[in-house]
Amino acid sequence: MQLTDELTRLFANMGHTLARRAHQGMNNQDFSTLVSLSSSAYPEGTRLSDLAAMRGFDTSTMSRRVSQLCENGLLERTPDPQDGRAQLLSLSDDGRRALAEERTRRVRIITESLGEWTPDEKGELARLLGRLNDSLENA
């Protein structure tokens, strides 16, 4: 139970910290969407339905998010060469730049928070979080 409580506390603290500094970067939903597309197994682009499934949203919810990201110039839509009726989504050059800047901003927030930790403690945390993520992805 303590682990679950600490993870809940961690997510809440991260959410609050990022929200307090939201004027400096993008919101979590946009960031997560861009990350999903950047790490997609389909470098030529991803269908909206596949992106929605990756993110755990229904297609209509994901469609609104994607439309906003396209309007902001962070995503591009191209025709699917296998099905001319469908479109593929991918990061635009501005989207890749914005994602890199947001990753840098988030790393800076975490780095500042871990300022008093030793390199060994930071390494152990990264190792254990990686292991947790692997277990959750395989579950």
Side-chain angles (χ1 to χ4, degrees):
M1 176 104 120
Q2 181 183 1
L3 176 60
T4 302
D5 292 350
E6 288 300 326
L7 287 172
T8 300
R9 191 171 149 224
L10 170 67
F11 299 144
N13 285 330
M14 281 298 299
H16 293 307
T17 300
L18 292 170
R20 278 194 311 269
R21 300 181 187 189
H23 64 281
Q24 298 170 355
M26 68 180 66
N27 66 44
N28 272 338
Q29 295 84 4
D30 290 347
F31 179 71
S32 295
T33 300
L34 295 182
V35 167
S36 294
L37 283 170
S38 74
S39 60
S40 167
Y42 308 101
E44 68 281 353
T46 303
R47 286 182 173 207
L48 176 65
S49 57
D50 294 333
L51 178 61
M54 276 189 267
R55 298 285 326 284
F57 293 114
D58 64 52
T59 305
S60 63
T61 300
M62 197 78 253
S63 178
R64 289 188 294 276
R65 170 104 13 240
V66 163
S67 291
Q68 187 64 47
L69 290 168
C70 287
E71 286 175 25
N72 292 340
L74 302 178
L75 293 183
E76 297 175 337
R77 297 178 198 251
T78 56
D80 184 339
Q82 296 177 358
D83 179 354
R85 299 168 296 167
Q87 293 182 327
L88 298 176
L89 300 166
S90 58
L91 294 176
S92 66
D93 289 342
D94 285 346
R96 280 187 284 283
R97 223 177 348 270
L99 179 58
E101 289 170 6
E102 184 62 13
R103 281 181 168 144
T104 298
R105 183 181 82 87
R106 289 172 183 235
V107 165
R108 187 172 40 252
I109 290 169
I110 297 297
T111 301
E112 290 169 3
S113 299
L114 298 176
E116 295 181 12
W117 290 41
T118 68
D120 286 346
E121 289 170 327
K122 292 174 192 176
E124 183 67 2
L125 175 63
R127 185 187 71 74
L128 292 172
L129 287 174
R131 185 173 174 195
L132 175 60
N133 275 318
D134 290 345
S135 295
L136 289 170
E137 289 170 356
N138 293 326

